[in-house]
Amino acid sequence: MKHTEISSIGEFGLIKRLMGDIKLKNDSSERGAGDDCAVLHYPDSQVLVTSDMLMEGVHFDLTYVPLPHLGYKAAVENISDICAMMGTPEQLIVDIAIGARFSIENVEDIYSGIRAACDRYHVDIVGGDTSTSLTGLAIAITCIGSARRDEIAYRSGAQENDLLCVTGNLGAAYMGLQLLEREKAVFEEQTAKAKTVESRLAIQQPDFAGHEYLLERQLKPEARYDIVQALRKAGIQPTAMIDISDGLSSEAMHIAKASNKGCRIYEERIPIDYQTSSLADDFGINPVTAALSGGEDYELLFTVPLKDYDKIREVEDVHVIGNITRPELGNTLVTRAGAEIELKAQGWNAFPDDKQ
Amino acid sequence: MKHTEISSIGEFGLIKRLMGDIKLKNDSSERGAGDDCAVLHYPDSQVLVTSDMLMEGVHFDLTYVPLPHLGYKAAVENISDICAMMGTPEQLIVDIAIGARFSIENVEDIYSGIRAACDRYHVDIVGGDTSTSLTGLAIAITCIGSARRDEIAYRSGAQENDLLCVTGNLGAAYMGLQLLEREKAVFEEQTAKAKTVESRLAIQQPDFAGHEYLLERQLKPEARYDIVQALRKAGIQPTAMIDISDGLSSEAMHIAKASNKGCRIYEERIPIDYQTSSLADDFGINPVTAALSGGEDYELLFTVPLKDYDKIREVEDVHVIGNITRPELGNTLVTRAGAEIELKAQGWNAFPDDKQ
């Protein structure tokens, strides 16, 4: 593969190469990259802003994450946060710091993923910063979107007896990660043992057959803007909403806490794909645990008034998994056997030694 | 100094500690941190957005940059970009990734600097992300501000015969950096040589006497929002504007190129503080070179129509250093001796091997 040193074209050359042919798609994007600031215009709605930073070795592992997928996922994570407020994603600002081992082609690969996500979600890249890292790769993305004030779904609006709903299915991204980690360990073990050329050539390639969906959920997640649109179309205004980045338990507890309520989730209603269940069995993991505590599904968790029950049943890919209760009742998982156990947040943690 | 492990309170505990008591100051800040997105409102103006990422070892050196200063400077760099469009800075979003060696107190130190800058410039911190870095410290800041469409100063609006103006003085931050680098080298050399306890105790502390202003310009720069206000008050609308982060040459050439014009700068008119000149002499550096090619002054460089000459003379701390010309005349420095030499950009480069 071609490896062109970034130093051969410089910072401004690189930015021009990455951003040069970008056409702005949204009316709210008045000016994109190329000046001290981007210029946006939101006269008729509130402006939603969210930002996340991804660090190599902490949030991603380049031994198995292809660079375009990394870019796509970094963009989608932020787009998902706009969706989680019932907003429309409109702009992205991309800061990337790269180590000396990276070529122009590598950076273009990351950008190709970011741009693919922007095309898919009709979002404009309007600026950012590209510079050197002495160590690992770092990506910080800010996403900007819009929503009218009465459309915005905060975490804090859930009411007693509201239905608790979730989109798609859960735990798949987590099982995809387990699979990638397992195959990486196998590969590294074989490589360490193989002393001759013959034995090196005989090293097995990772076997992902039958698990493609899980890999896609981990490596190329999607934001549920389709659900935002479907809810608007159905005339349903969620009372509270959040996206599932840290596992169902943790997110349900965020809504309950912010709304000063309790919640009740029925185990049998948690949507889990058969590939997730199947691989979880292989790993000796309870698939419900993967759904409750595995992260990165980027599905939406939201509450709607009980009166919307008939309407919400008609919205595709939405599952009612429980309800909101008085705060004194706490946060509960009702098992298939009918036992009630307390929900605990054990989602992904940005500080791995965390004792909470 | 107290060293509390971040793992003892976790990510959410840390965010609560950093952001818990923040009061929003601006009407445009409807909701701050605590949900998936911040919610802003800009019904009557355009929205300006800018973002920068700072990486340890590339953009800052923690051996001599105190953490509160790092936070202050990271915030000011972005606030300065809003000023450089003639905008009013209003919100900040802060992403920080920190290594395991950092304590809660360290992160609070960085935040104390960011918050000091936000207080000084009446800016709200409305969100962000705090996570782990396996390697160095990384800070990405997004700043959001406002300007009416007819107030915005792009780089591209300069007209032939416009006056080229600069604020404050130039080269001071660069000389401050040279001083810090020199004292660091002296300190490291002495430490390497000192084999006994006595000789270690005898190591000289850095001597910064007489250079305090230069250190302040390097470690605690300010954004020139005061100039934005003064220009508005004086009824002056700059035709083009940029902030000086990479040196006067580079920025003047940005304006000239974006406006498809040439520019002419008179060496004798470039404002240089006596501390800058004095230390440059000690180092054998031409102070004009420090002004032209040293970066991080965060002064404003802008153009105004010739008809505003009398008005601009009345604005404090603004210096007319040259004018805009036809593009065929190129970018020229007129020396004290009357010689005309071509301006070259040799400012700070994000990719150190850059051959441009």
Side-chain angles (χ1 to χ4, degrees):
Chain A
M1 192 184 150
K2 212 177 157 198
H3 182 104
T4 314
E5 296 287 337
I6 291 165
S7 54
S8 68
I9 59 169
E11 182 187 2
F12 297 125
L14 180 63
I15 290 172
K16 198 172 166 193
R17 190 149 158 179
L18 296 173
M19 314 276 273
D21 62 335
I22 287 181
K23 298 262 180 299
L24 299 179
K25 300 182 276 270
N26 293 310
D27 289 343
S28 57
S29 307
E30 293 205 351
R31 290 272 192 129
D35 216 302
D36 294 291
C37 300
V39 180
L40 314 179
H41 196 208
Y42 283 101
D44 305 318
S45 64
Q46 319 308 111
V47 187
L48 307 177
V49 190
T50 181
S51 184
D52 269 311
M53 180 148 58
L54 303 181
M55 303 294 291
E56 183 177 349
V58 177
H59 302 93
F60 57 89
D61 183 338
L62 289 181
T63 57
Y64 55 68
V65 178
L67 292 172
H69 288 75
L70 175 63
Y72 194 91
K73 186 168 174 173
V76 162
E77 281 185 35
N78 283 283
I79 290 169
S80 177
D81 278 322
I82 301 286
C83 297
M85 306 282 284
M86 282 291 287
T88 303
E90 307 208 21
Q91 288 91 20
L92 219 62
I93 294 193
V94 181
D95 295 337
I96 298 188
I98 45 172
R101 71 182 198 277
F102 285 87
S103 65
I104 292 175
E105 289 79 10
N106 292 152
V107 185
E108 286 181 323
D109 276 350
I110 299 172
Y111 254 81
S112 74
I114 296 173
R115 291 178 69 160
C118 286
D119 287 343
R120 165 101 173 67
Y121 295 99
H122 211 265
V123 167
D124 293 318
I125 301 178
V126 294
D129 186 20
T130 308
S131 78
T132 313
S133 164
L134 284 191
T135 50
L137 178 62
I139 304 181
I141 289 188
T142 299
C143 190
I144 300 162
S146 64
R148 290 200 329 269
R149 187 179 282 123
D150 57 354
E151 282 177 343
I152 299 175
Y154 290 97
R155 296 177 182 179
S156 54
Q159 302 296 322
E160 230 179 290
N161 297 324
D162 277 357
L163 301 169
L164 186 64
C165 308
V166 74
T167 60
N169 63 73
L170 302 178
Y174 178 77
M175 289 317 303
L177 180 64
Q178 300 312 307
L179 183 65
L180 286 163
E181 291 281 358
R182 182 181 74 183
E183 295 301 317
K184 180 187 171 186
V186 168
F187 186 80
E188 285 178 345
E189 197 188 334
Q190 290 187 340
T191 310
K193 276 187 194 156
K195 304 293 180 201
T196 66
V197 174
E198 289 74 19
S199 57
R200 289 207 169 219
L201 287 173
I203 289 175
Q204 289 182 334
Q205 287 301 304
D207 179 15
F208 296 133
H211 306 304
E212 292 80 0
Y213 175 68
L214 303 180
L215 290 183
E216 191 173 325
R217 289 298 301 265
Q218 170 56 225
L219 294 175
K220 192 171 170 288
E222 299 292 351
R224 300 308 307 262
Y225 184 57
D226 59 328
I227 297 290
V228 172
Q229 291 173 302
L231 291 173
R232 285 182 194 157
K233 199 175 162 197
I236 300 172
Q237 177 58 41
T239 48
M241 190 180 250
I242 193 169
D243 69 329
I244 300 186
S245 52
D246 296 342
L248 175 60
S249 286
S250 169
E251 312 302 357
M253 289 169 68
H254 278 309
I255 286 183
K257 191 177 176 190
S259 303
N260 191 27
K261 297 286 180 296
C263 73
R264 228 175 138 79
I265 293 176
Y266 294 85
E267 180 187 356
E268 65 188 358
R269 300 216 176 168
I270 298 172
I272 295 175
D273 187 81
Y274 76 95
Q275 283 198 15
T276 305
S277 295
S278 158
L279 189 67
D281 284 348
D282 288 358
F283 273 85
I285 295 174
N286 181 343
V288 175
T289 305
L292 287 170
S293 302
E296 304 191 294
D297 285 317
Y298 301 108
E299 297 293 347
L300 295 174
L301 178 70
F302 59 94
T303 54
V304 298
L306 195 53
K307 71 171 172 53
D308 284 339
Y309 181 67
D310 287 333
K311 280 199 228 169
I312 200 76
R313 279 180 59 194
E314 297 300 312
V315 181
E316 220 174 307
D317 215 19
V318 169
H319 313 274
V320 177
I321 59 167
N323 58 278
I324 298 296
T325 67
R326 283 180 290 137
E328 308 85 76
L329 298 180
N331 305 310
T332 307
L333 179 73
V334 183
T335 68
R336 278 174 220 274
E340 302 198 354
I341 58 178
E342 195 190 334
L343 265 190
K344 292 223 165 107
Q346 295 174 313
W348 192 85
N349 194 313
F351 295 97
D353 294 320
D354 197 341
K355 291 169 193 95
Q356 282 205 308
Chain B
M1 191 183 154
K2 213 176 159 201
H3 183 104
T4 313
E5 296 287 337
I6 292 165
S7 53
S8 68
I9 59 169
E11 183 187 3
F12 297 125
L14 179 63
I15 290 172
K16 196 171 168 194
R17 190 149 157 181
L18 295 174
M19 313 277 274
D21 62 336
I22 287 181
K23 299 262 180 301
L24 299 179
K25 299 183 277 273
N26 293 312
D27 290 343
S28 57
S29 308
E30 293 205 352
R31 290 275 190 127
D35 216 302
D36 294 291
C37 300
V39 181
L40 314 179
H41 196 210
Y42 283 100
D44 305 317
S45 63
Q46 320 308 109
V47 187
L48 307 176
V49 191
T50 181
S51 184
D52 269 310
M53 180 147 60
L54 303 181
M55 303 295 290
E56 184 176 347
V58 176
H59 302 93
F60 57 89
D61 183 339
L62 289 181
T63 57
Y64 56 67
V65 177
L67 292 172
H69 288 76
L70 175 63
Y72 194 91
K73 186 169 175 174
V76 162
E77 281 184 34
N78 283 283
I79 290 169
S80 177
D81 278 322
I82 300 287
C83 297
M85 307 281 284
M86 283 292 287
T88 302
E90 307 209 19
Q91 287 91 20
L92 219 61
I93 295 193
V94 181
D95 295 338
I96 298 187
I98 44 174
R101 71 183 198 276
F102 284 87
S103 64
I104 292 174
E105 290 77 11
N106 292 151
V107 185
E108 285 182 324
D109 276 350
I110 299 171
Y111 254 81
S112 74
I114 295 172
R115 293 179 66 160
C118 287
D119 287 342
R120 165 99 171 70
Y121 295 98
H122 211 265
V123 167
D124 293 318
I125 302 178
V126 294
D129 186 21
T130 307
S131 77
T132 312
S133 164
L134 284 190
T135 51
L137 178 62
I139 304 181
I141 289 187
T142 299
C143 189
I144 300 160
S146 63
R148 289 200 330 268
R149 188 178 281 125
D150 57 353
E151 284 176 341
I152 299 174
Y154 291 98
R155 297 178 182 177
S156 54
Q159 303 296 322
E160 229 178 290
N161 298 324
D162 278 358
L163 301 168
L164 186 64
C165 308
V166 74
T167 61
N169 63 74
L170 302 178
Y174 177 77
M175 289 317 303
L177 180 64
Q178 300 312 307
L179 183 65
L180 287 163
E181 292 281 359
R182 181 182 75 184
E183 294 300 318
K184 180 187 171 186
V186 169
F187 186 79
E188 285 178 345
E189 196 188 333
Q190 290 188 342
T191 309
K193 278 187 193 158
K195 304 294 180 198
T196 66
V197 173
E198 289 74 19
S199 57
R200 291 209 165 216
L201 287 173
I203 290 175
Q204 288 182 335
Q205 287 301 302
D207 179 13
F208 296 133
H211 306 304
E212 293 81 0
Y213 175 68
L214 303 180
L215 290 182
E216 191 172 324
R217 289 298 300 267
Q218 170 57 226
L219 294 175
K220 191 171 170 286
E222 300 292 352
R224 299 309 304 262
Y225 184 58
D226 59 329
I227 297 289
V228 173
Q229 291 174 301
L231 291 173
R232 285 182 195 158
K233 200 175 161 195
I236 300 172
Q237 177 60 41
T239 47
M241 191 180 249
I242 193 169
D243 69 331
I244 301 187
S245 51
D246 296 341
L248 175 60
S249 287
S250 168
E251 312 301 358
M253 289 168 68
H254 278 308
I255 285 183
K257 190 177 178 191
S259 303
N260 191 26
K261 297 285 179 298
C263 72
R264 224 173 141 76
I265 294 177
Y266 294 85
E267 180 188 356
E268 65 187 358
R269 299 213 178 172
I270 298 173
I272 295 175
D273 187 80
Y274 76 95
Q275 284 198 15
T276 305
S277 296
S278 158
L279 189 67
D281 285 346
D282 289 357
F283 273 84
I285 296 173
N286 181 345
V288 175
T289 305
L292 287 170
S293 302
E296 304 193 292
D297 285 317
Y298 302 108
E299 298 293 347
L300 295 175
L301 178 70
F302 59 95
T303 55
V304 298
L306 194 54
K307 70 170 173 56
D308 284 339
Y309 182 67
D310 287 333
K311 279 198 228 168
I312 199 75
R313 280 180 59 194
E314 297 298 313
V315 180
E316 221 174 305
D317 216 20
V318 169
H319 313 274
V320 177
I321 59 168
N323 57 278
I324 299 297
T325 66
R326 283 179 289 137
E328 307 86 76
L329 299 180
N331 305 310
T332 307
L333 178 73
V334 183
T335 68
R336 277 172 220 275
E340 303 198 355
I341 57 177
E342 195 192 336
L343 265 190
K344 293 220 164 107
Q346 297 175 311
W348 192 86
N349 193 312
F351 296 97
D353 295 320
D354 197 341
K355 289 170 196 99
Q356 285 204 304

